[in-house]
Amino acid sequence: MTYRRSSWIAYLLLSPALVCLAVFRLWPIATTLLGSLYSQSIMQAGKDVFVGLNNYTLLFRDPIFWQSLWVTIKLNLVINPLQVFIALLLAIMANQRFRGIGFYRLLFFIPLGVSVPIASILWRIMLDPNSGLANSLINLLGIPSQPFLINKDQALWCIVAIATWKGASFWMIFLWAGLQDIPRQLYEAARI
């Protein structure tokens, strides 16, 4: 009797989380999958025509879809190892003890305090091809202005740099916490 009662209480306690999961995760996925089987016209609002898997057939035949998928894969193959590597370097630097380390730690955490929309606006202004800070600085070196976010060869790498600036400090927290947990005796033993 106590086993059944305790399992009933467990389900009761889990029910709010399960309801939220169903409402905010499963329901949108189900409605999106169902909606993808219909053709919806902007001109004729409310008039949906069932087309089955035709939308998927058109999608998989579209070369732009495959190109965007490849760019997404390339972005993730570059950005994830890069963020972890830079985060590890920052964590090692933050773990050091020297005068003024508090200021450097503050600089490492600044990207976390900037929201994604604000960071996007700031980077857009800094990388503006006409009056951006980046082009002003490289013009001082005699290099002509660059179309950072407009040029198809440079845009992906600018996005990688911006996302790494924002994400590396996030991962640094976890790595730094792990480094803080290593006892000093292990460092001394490694030196010997």
Side-chain angles (χ1 to χ4, degrees):
M1 179 90 173
T2 59
Y3 173 73
R4 286 186 180 181
R5 185 174 182 209
S6 64
S7 65
W8 180 80
I9 291 173
Y11 286 121
L12 181 66
L13 293 173
L14 281 174
S15 63
L18 294 174
V19 167
C20 287
L21 176 70
V23 169
F24 296 112
R25 292 289 184 154
L26 301 178
W27 177 254
I29 290 171
T31 56
T32 301
L33 287 174
L34 184 63
S36 71
L37 302 176
Y38 288 86
S39 176
Q40 300 171 347
S41 173
I42 297 173
M43 304 303 275
Q44 299 172 341
K47 198 169 191 184
D48 299 341
V49 178
F50 182 76
V51 293
L53 297 175
N54 189 39
N55 287 335
Y56 291 102
T57 318
L58 292 173
L59 179 70
F60 292 132
R61 288 184 186 163
D62 188 3
I64 294 173
F65 166 74
W66 292 108
Q67 181 183 1
S68 64
L69 184 65
W70 171 241
V71 168
T72 303
I73 291 169
K74 198 166 40 170
L75 177 77
N76 283 299
L77 287 175
V78 170
I79 204 165
N80 292 327
L82 183 64
Q83 279 187 4
V84 171
F85 177 72
I86 291 175
L88 181 61
L89 292 178
L90 292 175
I92 291 170
M93 289 172 60
N95 200 36
Q96 302 300 313
R97 298 181 194 276
F98 57 88
R99 189 173 167 195
I101 188 63
F103 176 72
Y104 289 108
R105 289 176 184 161
L106 174 70
L107 288 179
F108 298 153
F109 287 118
I110 285 176
L112 285 177
V114 180
S115 68
V116 173
I118 299 299
S120 302
I121 293 168
L122 288 173
W123 281 101
R124 172 68 182 105
I125 291 169
M126 286 194 296
L127 296 176
D128 185 79
N130 300 318
S131 60
L133 177 65
N135 275 321
S136 298
L137 292 175
I138 64 171
N139 286 343
L140 291 174
L141 300 173
I143 302 170
S145 294
Q146 299 294 311
F148 292 112
L149 297 174
I150 300 169
N151 186 324
K152 69 177 185 172
D153 296 326
Q154 294 178 353
L156 178 66
W157 302 111
C158 288
I159 292 170
V160 165
I162 293 166
T164 300
W165 172 80
K166 184 81 174 122
S169 59
F170 175 76
W171 294 113
M172 183 198 80
I173 292 173
F174 299 106
L175 296 171
W176 186 32
L179 289 173
Q180 291 284 315
D181 204 31
I182 297 173
R184 289 283 167 204
Q185 293 85 359
L186 289 179
Y187 288 115
E188 292 170 7
R191 281 191 204 113
I192 293 174

